[in-house]
Amino acid sequence: MANEKEIEPIDAYMGTMEAYQKIYDFLLYIYPILAQFPKFEKFALQTQIKTAVFEMLKDVIRFKKTGTKSHIYAADVELQSIKTMIRLSYDLQYKAMSKHRYEVISRHTRAIGGTIGGIIEAIKAGTWKPDK
């Protein structure tokens, strides 16, 4: 129909690069905060958060390189894990995780989730235009 809006395909390169950049910016913000976690968390929660963020970043890169949908879904799973661990550190009242920092981190994770979610929705809708 003439009145129907044509859905534009989401560009694979730009979508994954946007996700990559948001995750990298998140890393830059969170790394100094994680360094301030209690020493007893150095090999526990702190390491788990770092590992999850790097895994999420690698999953986005893998998706960009291969176009395999499971990688973008894995990135989304890692993001949910990160959100849970960040909330735990806030609820445990670690000094490094002030209310302000928790709010900023929440904004970062929402932005990352929005980008990854947009890619997933585009894949489901069939509007994802893979790299050539």
Side-chain angles (χ1 to χ4, degrees), residues 55-56 59-60 70-80 116:
E55 281 301 314
M56 180 174 54
D59 286 328
V60 167
S70 63
H71 293 306
I72 201 68
Y73 286 102
D76 192 44
V77 169
E78 290 295 341
L79 179 61
Q80 297 310 312
I116 290 173

Side-chain angles (χ1 to χ4, degrees), residues 26-39:
F26 178 59
L27 265 173
L28 287 175
Y29 182 77
I30 201 166
Y31 232 78
I33 295 170
L34 293 174
Q36 296 173 15
F37 269 39
K39 289 187 186 214

Side-chain angles (χ1 to χ4, degrees), residues 42-60:
K42 184 175 183 180
F43 297 107
L45 190 58
Q46 178 192 44
T47 301
Q48 290 289 332
I49 293 170
K50 284 181 185 179
T51 301
V53 175
F54 281 115
E55 281 301 314
M56 180 174 54
L57 186 62
K58 287 194 293 188
D59 286 328
V60 167

